[in-house]
Amino acid sequence: MRVERIINDTNDEFPIGIRVLAVDDDPTCLLLLESLLRRCKYNVTTTNQAITALKLLRQNKFDLVISDVHMPDMDGFKLLELVGLEMDLPVIMLSANGDTNVVMKGITHGACDYLLKPVRIEELNNIWQHVVRRKRFERKDRYNSDSQDKLRANSGEAVGMGSIGNNGKLKKKRKDQDEDEERDENGHHNNEDPSIRKKPRVAWSAELHGKFVAAVNQLGMKNATPKKILELMKVEKLTTQNVGSHLQAFIRTFSAYSYDDPKVITKLTKFRLYLKRISCAANQQVNIAAAVRMRSPNGLGNFHTLAGSNQLHNAAFRSFPPRGVLGRLNTHAALLIRGLPSPGTIRSGHGQNSVNSGNDQCKLQSFVSGIHNANILHGLPMSLELDQVQTNKGVSHIGELPIADSTTVFPVSSSLIEATVTGFSGNPLLGVTSNSLMLEASSQQAGNSRDIDPAIGFRNGNTLSDFAPLAPASNRKSNADLQREPIPINWNAGELITSAPQEWNSPYQSNVTPCSMNSSIPVSGTMVQFGLCLDQNNSTDSDSIGPLSFIDNSAMEQSIIDKEGYLMLEPWGQGSHIPYNIGLLEDLWEFQ
Amino acid sequence: MDFVSQLQRKFIDYSSSLHREFTRLALYPVLANTQGIVDDQFTQLRKLEDENSPHFVMEVASLFFEDCGKLINNMAIALEQKQGVDFKQIDECIHQLKGSSSSIGAMRVKNACIAFRTFSDAKNREGCLRCLQQLSHEYSLLKNKLQTLFRVSVASRYLYVCLLIVSRENEHAEPFSDVLVFQLEQQIVAAGGSIPRVH
């Protein structure tokens, strides 16, 4: 495969022949760009429409995308997100407009780079770096995941996180699966270690989610604690942790998303970083566990016993900066972090709830593919923890939870991340661009976590990382408590994974593992679906619907889609994919 | 023999005068630069022209003229709307024009766009109309200069080819023609063109 070849080929010939897709509606610029790229000896394909670009990307293999920001058929940022979600390619933005806020927007949406017109050949000579960077991390991650592949393959679930969390007791609830469910937390397919890796997930079906939402509504935002919700829901085999993590995700999904709100973005970013790190740690642990075949009923124990995990764990939590994370948690975001629904976060309405869940799932899905965006750790400042994490795992993108939708920025997450970003290299939130993570991590490391550049790395808001459900709550706890936090979080993450087991066997999975707990992220197929869904949802262009047919199992259920365009929870295994209507979700944002 | 030589001499004289014209006109790009019509980006563009894409600059410029013409037209129509000027559309046009003009190196057009934008942001119709006029003017100026340049380039290429053929065909050609060919080659290169290959 070309990627492998490139990775292994370190000679100077690498940049030659990389496949670049150039998208620009201005014919003059496009011709110029094409000539310049050819002059740099790249393999260039051009198109002046974003939709055509997506088609081309799906049909052919490319290494890099350069896209204009202003295009008539689709916003360049949207294309950027979609490409990151579906294909996880590095995307370079191009524009005549060099205003800082626009550049910021590009970076937050996950662009690898932002070039100004007129573009010069010197700049284009260097774009191959983005390709290498991304592939390197991806490869590194793959190596790490190799040992876990079989685990993953079996379970098809988001791995990693589950094992870490939940105090060793994972009660998973499987909705649409046959399951022989009452397996122990370590997942059904694994006979051994892998509790770390495979955790049966709770499939939050529409029905279940409906109950959840009803319960939340009944309780009110202030009272909607997982325990009470659980009581109201009266569903068997559902644990508080399941509900808690779902609540977290739910809240996050509806958190107002605003790319432009630095606080929100910062918090989210931080949270994502944290989740990522956790997942990386989890990933790491999984690796270790796989090797060691260690198995402990106590999730926490696993966490600690996994080689190095203990250290990592401690380091991670130690690094929990007493930066006043708690202080920051004074908004509803804070409430969310604490596991309490903030007022306004919970909307009544089944549809909305479904959307929320669906959204998360979708996000996860999309990110699964994006997870192998290895750049997450790239460039992360080498804090002690990070170093540990990185060396331990090398899976920087574990945390790369797909950021399904730009609208889902989770303020909660960000604060969490800030607080908890530790050595965990896994940032579940990343999913889309490694660069973003890098930035996040960097910021974190710089101790500015609070002031993390909001744009950084925030691609679609939140994804699985949001699922680090209980983790946020731990923010205000002591470090000791924190140590326990990840477990529940991880575990929870695993819980929410819906069934999409088999689709998991993609290389993406490895990356997702710990993070992907939340929703079985159907990998490639679904992701494409997801991307398409986005497209479909947000544009009436029939072209965008076209590609959907390419997806296996993709039976877009129109009825579901019609429900305000929200994502409904569907077992991923069915391949149904509901477009996530960003606009609608944004409307849901009520707090603050 | 004598007659042929006379013809050759006539041809060479004619070529010299053409050559002088070309020398003068080949300075055009330099003149254009100094006048600020096109900037360094245009030079970069010319560098991209080679055997594989011998008419690259001309192609890009043609695209630009077409695009620019359309945009200016659209803006004129938008500004004429009685019901209300759609400044958003104008803004988009300006943005696109700015992008393409900077890509081709049309400095003055780009500057005109920047000025235009401030009026458009302020939703000042009068100001926009004035700017549009200025923009049109710059565009025409650029178009004229570039078209002249292209004509000269094409003409010089033909001339060069002719001279080459003549000098090769005629072993007894005056050394003067070789010098002429050489000088012409230099002029072509200086004008940013590529030497056409003659087999």
Side-chain angles (χ1 to χ4, degrees):
Chain A
M1 180 179 150
R2 185 179 171 77
V3 169
E4 308 303 331
R5 183 161 58 80
I6 289 177
I7 290 172
N8 297 327
D9 182 357
T10 52
N11 67 25
D12 293 337
E13 302 214 349
F14 160 66
I16 293 175
I18 64 173
R19 291 153 302 194
V20 181
L21 176 69
V23 189
D24 194 336
D25 64 319
D26 183 355
T28 316
C29 297
L30 191 62
L31 181 59
L32 177 65
L33 192 60
E34 183 183 357
S35 307
L36 288 173
L37 288 169
R38 282 199 210 282
R39 188 50 72 99
C40 297
K41 301 208 177 44
Y42 299 143
N43 194 324
V44 189
T45 310
T46 61
T47 173
N48 61 353
Q49 289 191 335
I51 296 178
T52 316
L54 281 171
K55 278 191 195 152
L56 286 170
L57 284 167
R58 286 176 194 129
Q59 290 162 2
N60 309 302
K61 186 99 181 59
F62 284 97
D63 297 312
L64 182 71
V65 179
I66 298 183
S67 164
D68 186 29
V69 168
H70 285 82
M71 288 192 288
D73 59 339
M74 187 193 294
D75 185 32
F77 295 120
K78 190 154 161 51
L79 177 66
L80 168 64
E81 289 174 12
L82 290 176
V83 171
L85 280 176
E86 290 189 33
M87 297 112 202
D88 191 34
L89 293 175
V91 181
I92 294 177
M93 302 304 291
L94 195 59
S95 178
N97 187 352
D99 293 344
T100 309
N101 57 340
V102 184
V103 176
M104 179 79 79
K105 198 172 171 196
I107 303 298
T108 45
H109 281 71
C112 290
D113 204 351
Y114 193 107
L115 302 178
L116 292 186
K117 291 183 185 175
V119 62
R120 296 193 311 262
I121 198 167
E122 299 87 21
E123 293 174 339
L124 290 179
N125 259 326
N126 292 331
I127 60 176
W128 60 269
Q129 296 173 8
H130 301 293
V131 178
V132 175
R133 206 175 286 136
R134 198 170 276 233
K135 294 212 158 75
R136 267 184 55 112
F137 283 100
E138 177 185 349
R139 182 171 55 136
K140 251 196 334 181
D141 188 59
R142 282 224 190 112
Y143 287 160
N144 289 334
S145 338
D146 279 348
S147 60
Q148 306 150 0
D149 273 348
K150 66 175 163 77
L151 295 180
R152 261 187 247 126
N154 290 339
S155 63
E157 296 169 342
V159 294
M161 291 297 278
S163 57
I164 298 181
N166 197 24
N167 301 314
K169 222 164 81 132
L170 300 172
K171 288 189 202 153
K172 316 261 177 146
K173 177 170 167 196
R174 218 176 264 282
K175 272 279 164 139
D176 308 84
Q177 312 241 355
D178 26 329
E179 326 347 306
D180 18 300
E181 302 337 349
E182 304 310 274
R183 308 198 185 100
D184 71 357
E185 61 249 302
N186 291 329
H188 40 274
H189 304 289
N190 283 331
N191 345 355
E192 37 337 339
D193 351 38
S195 41
I196 303 184
R197 265 337 196 179
K198 308 189 225 175
K199 269 196 181 301
R201 304 180 197 168
V202 173
W204 281 90
S205 71
E207 185 199 337
L208 193 64
H209 187 71
K211 285 189 187 164
F212 169 79
V213 173
V216 168
N217 283 331
Q218 194 175 335
L219 290 167
M221 286 302 294
K222 293 209 164 97
N223 289 333
T225 60
K227 198 163 179 187
K228 290 185 187 164
I229 296 173
L230 186 65
E231 284 165 15
L232 281 177
M233 281 174 73
K234 299 191 188 62
V235 174
E236 290 179 357
K237 298 179 191 170
L238 197 60
T239 67
T240 318
Q241 289 98 336
N242 291 132
V243 175
S245 53
H246 188 70
L247 180 65
Q248 290 275 345
F250 180 63
I251 289 171
R252 270 194 293 272
T253 302
F254 287 104
S255 296
Y257 159 78
S258 163
Y259 276 131
D260 302 325
D261 182 356
K263 278 204 230 129
V264 162
I265 293 174
T266 305
K267 286 181 182 174
L268 224 57
T269 302
K270 291 180 182 159
F271 183 63
R272 279 168 44 201
L273 266 179
Y274 162 72
L275 286 177
K276 184 175 176 238
R277 298 219 173 100
I278 291 180
S279 55
C280 280
N283 211 0
Q284 178 75 21
Q285 290 177 6
V286 175
N287 284 330
I288 295 170
V292 177
R293 299 285 185 183
M294 255 171 33
R295 197 182 158 94
S296 151
N298 184 350
L300 180 52
N302 275 337
F303 187 84
H304 286 286
T305 50
L306 288 175
S309 65
N310 196 9
Q311 182 186 16
L312 184 61
H313 181 86
N314 292 336
F317 288 109
R318 237 187 299 113
S319 66
F320 185 92
R323 294 182 250 196
V325 165
L326 296 182
R328 298 181 68 191
L329 303 178
N330 51 5
T331 60
H332 64 278
L335 284 178
L336 291 177
I337 292 178
R338 292 182 179 125
L340 298 176
S342 299
T345 50
I346 296 184
R347 280 223 173 195
S348 56
H350 176 87
Q352 291 165 348
N353 293 335
S354 329
V355 176
N356 190 0
S357 321
N359 190 20
D360 290 327
Q361 286 184 343
C362 278
K363 288 191 256 194
L364 283 178
Q365 273 187 337
S366 36
F367 278 96
V368 173
S369 63
I371 290 222
H372 58 270
N373 181 348
N375 288 344
I376 295 190
L377 287 184
H378 178 82
L380 284 181
M382 292 300 120
S383 67
L384 174 62
E385 292 79 5
L386 278 181
D387 280 337
Q388 285 179 345
V389 171
Q390 273 183 332
T391 47
N392 287 342
K393 299 174 290 250
V395 181
S396 49
H397 43 270
I398 287 187
E400 287 182 308
L401 288 179
I403 301 179
D405 192 294
S406 57
T407 58
T408 53
V409 165
F410 299 108
V412 175
S413 315
S414 57
S415 48
L416 231 201
I417 291 180
E418 179 193 18
T420 57
V421 170
T422 58
F424 287 105
S425 55
N427 184 338
L429 291 178
L430 280 187
V432 182
T433 46
S434 55
N435 286 346
S436 54
L437 277 178
M438 281 165 40
L439 289 174
E440 289 171 14
S442 307
S443 309
Q444 290 282 348
Q445 294 311 322
N448 299 338
S449 51
R450 227 145 336 168
D451 301 325
I452 273 189
D453 199 345
I456 297 177
F458 218 35
R459 220 70 158 229
N460 297 317
N462 69 77
T463 50
L464 284 180
S465 41
D466 298 325
F467 268 102
L470 301 183
S474 65
N475 282 345
R476 49 205 168 92
K477 298 185 192 160
S478 67
N479 285 347
D481 287 343
L482 281 177
Q483 290 190 351
R484 271 202 299 281
E485 291 306 329
I487 295 175
I489 293 173
N490 298 330
W491 180 74
N492 286 331
E495 292 175 29
L496 291 181
I497 296 170
T498 55
S499 56
Q502 302 323 315
E503 296 177 12
W504 217 217
N505 300 334
S506 77
Y508 298 128
Q509 279 191 352
S510 55
N511 300 340
V512 177
T513 44
C515 309
S516 50
M517 348 187 228
N518 288 331
S519 10
S520 44
I521 301 181
V523 268
S524 17
T526 344
M527 285 204 354
V528 178
Q529 269 180 334
F530 180 70
L532 288 172
C533 292
L534 284 179
D535 236 6
Q536 191 172 19
N537 209 21
N538 294 319
S539 83
T540 51
D541 188 343
S542 58
D543 281 351
S544 60
I545 300 181
L548 283 174
S549 62
F550 298 175
I551 298 173
D552 309 30
N553 305 327
S554 58
M556 289 295 300
E557 299 188 9
Q558 288 302 319
S559 58
I560 297 176
I561 297 171
D562 290 342
K563 288 193 182 177
E564 306 171 19
Y566 282 127
L567 286 172
M568 301 280 287
L569 283 177
E570 285 287 324
W572 289 118
Q574 298 172 4
S576 60
H577 194 100
I578 297 166
Y580 175 56
N581 187 330
I582 298 173
L584 287 171
L585 281 182
E586 279 179 332
D587 291 340
L588 292 178
W589 173 246
E590 276 181 347
F591 10 147
Q592 21 196 164
Chain B
M1 191 64 147
D2 201 31
F3 180 65
V4 170
S5 312
Q6 273 181 17
L7 272 182
Q8 281 174 348
R9 170 61 71 151
K10 273 206 154 96
F11 175 73
I12 287 169
D13 285 344
Y14 180 63
S15 307
S16 308
S17 61
L18 273 181
H19 176 226
R20 274 195 299 275
E21 281 301 301
F22 180 69
T23 306
R24 183 171 69 83
L25 291 172
L27 291 176
Y28 235 75
V30 176
L31 286 175
N33 269 334
T34 56
Q35 286 174 23
I37 306 282
V38 287
D39 59 14
D40 188 54
Q41 176 70 14
F42 191 71
T43 313
Q44 300 291 326
L45 220 67
R46 293 224 295 264
K47 285 188 189 159
L48 284 177
E49 200 166 72
D50 58 8
E51 308 94 50
N52 298 329
S53 50
H55 305 291
F56 175 67
V57 182
M58 215 162 22
E59 281 171 26
V60 177
S62 311
L63 274 177
F64 172 69
F65 291 141
E66 202 183 307
D67 206 31
C68 186
K70 256 190 289 185
L71 287 170
I72 288 180
N73 226 16
N74 290 344
M75 284 196 276
I77 292 172
L79 280 172
E80 289 301 319
Q81 295 296 320
K82 300 288 180 221
Q83 301 88 325
V85 182
D86 184 0
F87 281 103
K88 189 165 177 300
Q89 185 197 354
I90 289 179
D91 197 56
E92 283 173 20
C93 288
I94 294 174
H95 179 89
Q96 183 160 344
L97 197 53
K98 184 172 170 231
S100 38
S101 60
S102 56
S103 297
I104 202 175
M107 210 174 73
R108 284 160 73 113
V109 174
K110 185 185 81 177
N111 290 337
C113 287
I114 295 174
F116 198 159
R117 174 161 242 155
T118 53
F119 285 103
S120 158
D121 286 344
K123 301 209 194 301
N124 180 345
R125 188 167 169 270
E126 291 306 316
C128 284
L129 281 169
R130 279 199 306 273
C131 280
L132 183 64
Q133 208 174 359
Q134 173 75 9
L135 187 64
S136 267
H137 170 71
E138 295 297 343
Y139 164 69
S140 307
L141 200 61
L142 176 75
K143 196 166 175 184
N144 282 338
K145 291 215 183 279
L146 285 184
Q147 280 177 341
T148 308
L149 178 65
F150 295 140
R151 274 189 230 116
V152 167
S153 306
V154 171
S156 72
R157 285 203 184 94
Y158 280 122
L159 181 60
Y160 176 75
V161 171
C162 288
L163 281 177
L164 266 187
I165 291 173
V166 166
S167 62
R168 283 183 198 179
E169 293 288 326
N170 188 355
E171 294 162 356
H172 307 292
E174 308 260 339
F176 179 74
S177 64
D178 290 333
V179 173
L180 192 60
V181 166
F182 177 69
Q183 284 177 336
L184 197 55
E185 273 179 8
Q186 291 214 302
Q187 291 295 345
I188 291 174
V189 168
S194 59
I195 308 295
R197 294 283 160 254
V198 178
H199 302 285

